[in-house]
Amino acid sequence: HHVRVVEGDVLEFLPRIPAGSLATVRLYFPDPWLKQKQKHRRLARADVIAGLVDRLRIGGTLHIATDIDDYAAQALAVCAAEPRLRGGVVPRPDWRPVTRFEQRGLNAGRIATDMIYERIV
């Protein structure tokens, strides 16, 4: 397996990733952009999800985790509308690390929602 880590804005880096080249994309606790006027900046929107799915190989997975209920609802709706994906909410995988953002949410009494999708076509 080949792993590369890039620190930066995924939207700026996405065009450099070849179509069908990724086995997995993980969006763990992306910035929720809570204010109504900021919600267009969220990563769980149709254009970004379509771009990520373009880069997934068939059989590849998209894993999203968030502790913001409104964000989870948006991600579920966007992924349900993407015909190349199949999946939805799953129990929290034991192998997923607890990020510092998740820990902050747990400390505030929030529970994470995990969603895993497979690219089927």
Side-chain angles (χ1 to χ4, degrees):
H1 297 315
H2 298 282
V3 175
R4 296 220 169 114
V5 176
V6 176
E7 184 176 343
D9 186 336
V10 69
L11 300 180
E12 292 174 8
F13 187 72
L14 201 57
R16 296 177 52 195
I17 302 171
S21 66
L22 301 177
T24 303
V25 173
R26 296 183 177 149
L27 299 177
Y28 292 164
F29 303 89
D31 193 327
W33 297 105
L34 297 172
K35 294 179 182 174
Q36 191 62 40
K37 66 182 179 180
Q38 298 172 328
K39 289 186 179 181
H40 69 279
R41 295 180 178 169
R42 288 180 171 178
L43 290 178
R45 58 182 203 254
D47 62 322
V48 175
I49 295 299
L52 293 172
V53 173
D54 286 344
R55 281 139 183 98
L56 278 176
R57 69 178 188 214
I58 293 176
T61 58
L62 170 63
H63 184 182
I64 303 171
T66 182
D67 61 355
I68 304 298
D69 292 342
D70 178 54
Y71 201 112
Q74 179 178 338
L76 285 165
V78 169
C79 290
E82 172 52 69
R84 298 172 292 171
L85 292 177
R86 177 181 56 210
V89 175
V90 298
R92 185 194 187 284
D94 292 339
W95 47 263
R96 181 174 61 71
V98 175
T99 70
R100 66 182 174 163
F101 299 107
E102 181 177 15
Q103 190 59 58
R104 284 185 201 160
L106 290 169
N107 294 345
R110 294 190 304 269
I111 303 297
T113 300
D114 281 81
M115 299 154 269
I116 297 181
Y117 296 89
E118 176 186 4
R119 180 174 175 182
I120 56 173
V121 291

